Amino acid sequence: MNKLSFSSILLVLFLLGATPVPAAEMAQLPLLFCVYDMGETNAFKPLWKLLDKEAIDYRILAVDAAAGRLQGNDKVIAIKTDARPDSDWHTQRSARIDSDTLAELARQWQVRLVISGMASGAQAETLNYFRDKQKSYAIAYYDNLDSVEHKPFVQAFLGKARQIDRFWVPASIVRDDMGRHLEIDPSVIEIVGQPSLESWDQTYRQFSANALKQELGIPADKKVVVFAGGYDSSYPEYLELFINTMKLNPEWETLITWHPKTDGSLEKQLVARASSKSIRAIPSSVHNTAELSVAANLVAVHKSTVAIQAAYKGKSVVYVAESDHSTPLIQYRIAPLASSQKQLEQVLRSTDSDSASARFSKLGLPGEGSALMLNLIRQQLQ
């Protein structure tokens, strides 16, 4: 059933004051997802593909802007909160879903399992409603590696959530952190990986370092550094620092990409100004950041999540950012932070991919997250 027809049914039922349907006569829905942010949405996409292959039925409640990111998916039900378009992010995340909307959904289906991200109060309301009204099993997935203590958006969810049966987290460091800061019994926290990383697995199966170097005219024995572009206010300063440093180190081939939210004009301008044969700006139409990283000895970022994706694939990573910038990769000494030319040159001299893989294992982040999630879902639906 497509989104338009489903929404129309909800409206008609609401206007006619439809009477509750006995549970025995309701359609059975094994799974209901609720998404709000890009992170959790991307994490669930590989899982949805597996569910489709296994013919396990599900629907996706896409709250506010999440619906736009899932256009064309016939499993999506677009849900609006009472947030005003001009409200700030905190107000938007705390906005409420109309309880009548949830009630009409509950009239359509008897839901066995609800899986939600933890990025908004509306998601907590959805879990609460189906658990209270239908005894649905409630799972909350935190897709981030950062401490929940330092993620204010989670507070909008936690402030409304009443009883969660299981928490899913990507890594053991997050389980430990969540148990400590939220005082959650570790036995209800399951480590399920981060399925959004699986797109990089596919890329690394598809491309080879030698073929990429040959295509781009890079000598086979030359070291390669790939810089993943950003867009925040301090980014231009650190991009310029990076390019100026690499100009002094032409033994490295430097490939620079730009963030999808930008047009690359800054990167192309600074590369042209450097006027170095060993520094190039590469558009995604040629190769995207993930593809280029296959040939990289080092992946550099400002504050991009590309750092985690590259480290997951065993690449050495460096953050080029302010001296007070902090991430789990920095905190656990998996990736260094370079805030000056001297610090960046130290990283260039000490790059070692073998130890990078060992360092990343400290996070306790398993691969094949979508398969882990699917297995847990099967167990719950038995």
Side-chain angles (χ1 to χ4, degrees), residues 197-309:
L197 296 172
E198 293 169 25
S199 64
W200 281 57
D201 291 332
Q202 177 61 37
T203 296
Y204 275 60
R205 287 190 290 267
Q206 184 178 354
F207 292 89
S208 75
N210 289 338
L212 283 165
K213 282 186 170 183
Q214 185 174 11
E215 177 188 342
L216 296 170
I218 302 171
D221 59 349
K222 191 172 186 181
K223 288 185 176 181
V224 175
V225 56
V226 173
F227 186 90
Y231 58 88
D232 77 355
S233 60
S234 64
Y235 170 65
E237 174 186 352
Y238 288 94
L239 172 62
E240 188 167 15
L241 166 66
F242 175 79
I243 289 176
N244 289 341
T245 303
M246 298 315 301
K247 183 178 180 179
L248 299 174
N249 292 271
E251 69 276 14
W252 285 81
E253 186 76 16
T254 301
L255 308 177
I256 296 175
T257 64
W258 50 90
H259 195 278
K261 288 185 178 180
T262 72
D263 61 5
S265 57
L266 173 65
E267 288 81 1
K268 287 180 278 191
Q269 177 187 349
L270 292 180
V271 166
R273 186 187 302 170
S275 189
S276 170
K277 292 182 180 179
S278 64
I279 303 176
R280 286 184 276 174
I282 307 293
S284 59
S285 58
V286 175
H287 283 295
N288 63 32
T289 306
E291 292 164 0
L292 292 174
S293 76
V294 174
N297 301 90
L298 176 66
V299 175
V301 304
H302 179 46
K303 299 174 183 176
S304 172
T305 55
V306 164
I308 293 172
Q309 295 162 324

Side-chain angles (χ1 to χ4, degrees), residues 125-172:
E125 289 176 340
T126 301
L127 288 174
N128 292 342
Y129 186 90
F130 281 94
R131 200 180 190 293
D132 291 346
K133 301 296 184 181
Q134 298 190 346
K135 308 302 180 187
S136 305
Y137 196 82
I139 294 176
Y141 177 51
Y142 179 70
D143 66 279
N144 213 290
L145 290 176
D146 291 322
S147 170
V148 291
E149 185 183 27
H150 302 300
K151 286 295 180 184
F153 68 77
V154 179
Q155 304 312 312
F157 176 90
L158 295 174
K160 294 183 179 180
R162 289 198 291 273
Q163 186 172 349
I164 308 297
D165 294 296
R166 282 285 187 274
F167 287 89
W168 283 359
V169 298
S172 60

